[in-house]
Amino acid sequence: MDSCQAAADRIRGARRVIAFTGAGVSVESGIPSFRGKTGLWSRYDPECLNIDRFLRSPEQTWPVIRDIFYDYFGQARPNDAHRILSEWERDGLIAGIITQNIDNLHFDAGSRVVHEFHGNSRTLVCLRCGARRLAADTDLHAIPPLCPICGGLLKPDFVFFGEAIPEPARTQAFDEAELADLFLLIGTTGEVGPANLIPRIAKRNGAYIVEINPEPSLYTGSITDIHLAGGAAEIMRKLDELVR
Ligand SMILES: [Zn+2]
């Protein structure tokens, strides 16, 4: 049987499907990935996202952060993969999404249950008083941007290297790894921990694993039951036709 058809049948027959997404789902929205030969880390120093470095010299790291996450990500729009996942949630085909992305594109596409394991770039948090504000309402050319309430340093509301995974996303993600009977991995290769533990825990709890990635990943051949080779939007369009 065609593997797309087999995956669609599994999705339709599952009790609780969770989509687990990574950088690959946003590539077709124009957001480059961090890793790999043409990834952002080949052009920028990942140390600018180290929390100690940021706290020590925010005036050096903020311009780089602004370049990558605001001037650049700010232009991105959801693609068919985001759109179809949002429709599947509306139609009861998936229970929700766990994403490692910080680009807000699942929410932009209309998804409502999105556990953002690494936080979100759209908001900034004041490291002194804890107030949150939209990056879009903040002058990011003031280096570093400061909290208008207390004057404290503002930090993007996503996880820096050396920081803990935010709650409640962390707990919700690990709970889903126990509840779901099908995990749909999209555009994530399993290199980044601790997020990469979630599908493995789901598998141990009996979940069926469908993987969408252009190339085999660390999940393929270890926990994946069906690997659909291709881009996220292309494969999701195919599945969407078959699942209806
Ligand atoms: Zn403040």
Side-chain angles (χ1 to χ4, degrees), residues 126-131 147-154:
C126 170
L127 295 180
R128 188 183 292 163
C129 75
C147 172
I149 301 167
C150 77
L153 177 63
L154 291 171

Side-chain angles (χ1 to χ4, degrees), residues 169-188:
R170 183 187 162 283
T171 301
Q172 286 164 336
F174 282 101
D175 283 352
E176 286 297 358
E178 295 186 6
L179 294 172
D181 62 343
L182 192 149
F183 253 60
L184 178 58
L185 313 183
I186 310 176
T188 177

